[in-house]
Amino acid sequence: VLSYRDTEANASPISSKLVTKLKAAPHSLSEVVLHDLSAQELTEFVTDTLALASERSAELSDLLLRKSGGNPYFVGQIMKDWADNSLLTPDTTHGWIWNKDAIEKRAMATSVLDLLSGKINSLSEKNREIITIASSFSGPFSANEMMELASCDIDSARTATSEAVGAGLLFMDDELLYS
């Protein structure tokens, strides 16, 4: 699986050459183009995700569009940030409520890269080391593998990976493998 932004692939000669070679290869190649969400698509996403009436979703969707530019990954991360900071909260009467003024005033990263950098920088030094090691794996890995590479005990490896999972920087599957 190769993931890249078509607007950035040409910025690097190596990326450009790799994409060109893959497209010219004799095997089957599937491309999935992920575009920015339109206002309508974003409203539908918020309506479905939060199980709200579309009329209620419109205000939140507008805020998300202004903050994210419609970038699907950024939309999810912003919603998680708002929920983590109690700006978007579940409510037994309305389903979800949000603080529009606080959301508008909240300083946000201006790009996905800034957002991820901020998350990584908020981790302890040991956990930043864990993330660096994790980025070198080409597929899923176990806490035992992490323990060996990070030169730490299994409890430290699990604690560090748990913090990274909580921050959305690592993902854990049902078999306790990280990716």
Side-chain angles (χ1 to χ4, degrees):
V1 174
L2 171 67
S3 174
Y4 68 94
R5 290 176 178 242
D6 57 355
T7 56
E8 296 172 1
N10 294 329
S12 163
I14 295 170
S15 297
S16 180
K17 191 178 283 187
L18 176 61
V19 170
T20 301
K21 281 187 177 186
L22 286 172
K23 287 182 177 180
H27 54 73
S28 172
L29 177 70
S30 298
E31 285 188 84
V32 176
V33 178
L34 189 61
H35 61 87
D36 289 342
L37 298 172
S38 69
Q40 179 180 342
E41 290 167 329
L42 195 48
T43 299
E44 290 171 7
F45 172 78
V46 170
T47 298
D48 292 344
T49 303
L50 301 181
L52 297 173
S54 57
E55 303 79 45
R56 284 206 61 227
S57 299
E59 178 183 75
L60 187 60
S61 299
D62 182 57
L63 290 166
L64 277 167
L65 186 60
R66 285 188 277 140
K67 295 281 187 176
S68 70
N71 178 313
Y73 177 77
F74 211 17
V75 165
Q77 292 299 310
I78 289 171
M79 288 179 75
K80 183 177 181 338
D81 175 77
W82 291 349
D84 290 347
N85 289 284
S86 301
L87 301 174
L88 175 64
T89 56
D91 179 78
T92 55
T93 305
H94 301 99
W96 289 86
I97 57 173
W98 52 91
N99 184 332
K100 181 181 178 184
D101 292 336
I103 287 173
E104 286 178 335
K105 292 175 185 171
R106 179 150 177 81
M108 290 296 302
T110 57
S111 70
V112 174
L113 180 60
D114 291 342
L115 181 74
L116 290 174
S117 295
K119 284 184 175 192
I120 291 169
N121 290 333
S122 72
L123 298 174
S124 67
E125 185 176 336
K126 185 64 177 177
N127 289 338
R128 285 194 304 270
E129 178 186 341
I130 295 286
I131 289 294
T132 302
I133 293 168
S135 70
S136 68
F137 284 95
S138 61
F141 59 92
S142 69
N144 287 335
E145 292 170 309
M146 178 59 71
M147 173 188 72
E148 290 177 29
L149 287 174
S151 302
C152 64
D153 61 69
I154 191 70
D155 289 333
S156 296
R158 285 190 178 130
T159 299
T161 51
S162 175
E163 185 180 348
V165 167
L169 297 167
L170 283 180
F171 301 94
M172 185 171 53
D173 68 14
D174 295 336
E175 297 175 14
L176 302 179
L177 293 175
Y178 300 94
S179 59

